[in-house]
Amino acid sequence: MTTRTIVCVGDSNTRGHYGVGYVPQLAARLHPHDLTVTGAGVNGDCSANVLQRIDAIIAQQPSAVVVLIGTNDLWSTLSEANARRMVRRKKLPAPPTLGRFQENLAAIAARLCAQTDASIALMSPPVLGQDIGSRAGHAGEQFSAAVEEVAAAHDVSYLALYERQREYLRESHAPTLPLPPGTLERYTSVLQHRILRRSYDSIGRSRGLVLTADFIHQNTRGAAMIAELIEGYVHRTVLARADEA
C-alpha cells in the first residue's frame, strides 16, 4: 500500500520547540486514517529559506503539503533592528518585505504545483502579540491578504489561521497586549520550560496570553487551531479522494 504523507512546511511554530507543536496534534487526529504526518519546520525560517529547501519537500512526493510561513518575514518588517537580525541569522540576500514574501510564496506554490501531485494549501500566519490594532496586527492583515492572493493565483487552498485567531481574540475579550520588541520573552519562555519544567500553557497564562506562550509561539489552544484547520483540509482533499476511489 502506498504511504500517504502530509508534509507541514514552516518555521519554529511548525518545528514546535519554542511552544506547543501542532504537528503531533495533527498526527494524532489523522492516525485512524493511516496517514503519515511529517513536520518540515526550521526555526527562524523566512519564506526565502523555505524556497531554498523546497527540493527536499518535493522529493518526499507527498499527498498534501501545507505551507505555514510568514511569521519571521512579518516580524522583520516591524523594525530595522529586526530586519538586520534576520538577515544576519538566516543569511538572507535582502531584508524581508511584504513584496518579497509574496514573491517567494508564489515561487514556492509554483514549484509544488509543477513538481508534485500533492494537494496544496497555504495558511495565513498566526497573530503576533495580542493587540490586533497594533502595527503587528495590521501587518498580519497585510501578510494574510498576500497569502490569500497567492493561493487564488495558483488555484490552491487557503487556510485562514490569522482570521480565526483574530476573531478568537475579539470574542474571548482577551487582554490587549502588544508584541514586545526584541526576543526576551521567547528565550525566557524556553528557559522556564526546560529548566523549571513549566508548561508553555502555564507560561502563557502568567503573561495574560490566550493563544501563545511568548506572543509568537503557540500554546495548546493556538496549536489546536492550526491542527483543526489542516485536519479539515485533509478530509476535504486527500481522504475525500480516497473515498471516491
Side-chain angles (χ1 to χ4, degrees):
M1 181 178 180
T2 302
T3 300
R4 296 177 297 173
T5 302
I6 315 301
V7 179
C8 301
V9 182
D11 49 35
S12 52
N13 270 313
T14 298
R15 185 73 179 273
H17 284 182
Y18 299 156
V20 176
Y22 73 85
V23 173
Q25 290 190 19
L26 178 64
R29 290 167 179 265
L30 295 177
H31 177 72
H33 302 284
D34 195 29
L35 296 171
T36 298
V37 178
T38 300
V42 176
N43 294 342
D45 258 13
C46 293
S47 56
N49 304 114
V50 171
L51 183 57
Q52 289 171 348
R53 59 185 175 92
I54 196 68
D55 286 340
I57 296 161
I58 292 170
Q60 297 185 50
Q61 289 299 301
S63 299
V65 180
V66 179
V67 180
L68 172 54
I69 198 68
T71 291
N72 293 303
D73 297 80
L74 190 164
W75 182 80
S76 298
T77 69
L78 298 179
S79 73
E80 291 184 5
N82 288 2
R84 288 194 300 269
R85 179 185 180 91
M86 193 59 64
V87 168
R88 182 174 64 253
R89 179 186 176 194
K90 300 300 292 186
K91 298 179 173 57
L92 300 176
T97 64
L98 176 60
R100 291 189 182 110
F101 166 74
Q102 190 161 355
E103 290 173 3
N104 291 333
L105 189 62
I108 291 166
R111 289 284 308 278
L112 291 172
C113 288
Q115 295 180 252
T116 76
D117 294 324
S119 299
I120 299 161
L122 308 180
M123 182 177 286
S124 55
V127 173
L128 296 189
Q130 206 160 271
D131 181 2
I132 56 178
S134 67
R135 183 178 178 185
H138 290 306
E141 299 276 358
Q142 294 175 315
F143 274 74
S144 298
V147 176
E148 186 171 17
E149 186 174 323
V150 171
H154 291 270
D155 195 26
V156 300
S157 296
Y158 174 67
L159 304 182
L161 174 63
Y162 175 85
E163 295 85 342
R164 182 169 180 180
Q165 292 197 341
R166 178 191 62 198
E167 292 311 307
Y168 181 84
L169 291 177
R170 287 173 173 165
E171 293 172 1
S172 67
H173 304 291
T176 300
L177 300 169
L179 176 70
T183 58
L184 177 63
E185 287 75 16
R186 185 184 318 175
Y187 292 118
T188 56
S189 178
V190 172
L191 288 173
Q192 289 182 60
H193 179 69
R194 294 182 180 175
I195 296 175
L196 302 180
R197 303 299 182 184
R198 293 186 67 192
S199 71
Y200 283 119
D201 288 353
S202 173
I203 295 166
R205 280 195 301 270
S206 71
R207 293 167 167 167
L209 301 172
V210 298
L211 292 174
T212 68
D214 59 2
F215 296 86
I216 294 176
H217 298 97
Q218 307 303 290
N219 65 10
T220 298
R221 182 182 290 114
M225 288 183 179
I226 301 173
E228 287 169 6
L229 283 170
I230 300 175
E231 180 189 21
Y233 170 71
V234 171
H235 274 276
R236 294 191 302 273
T237 55
V238 176
L239 295 176
R241 288 199 303 270
D243 290 341
E244 293 170 359

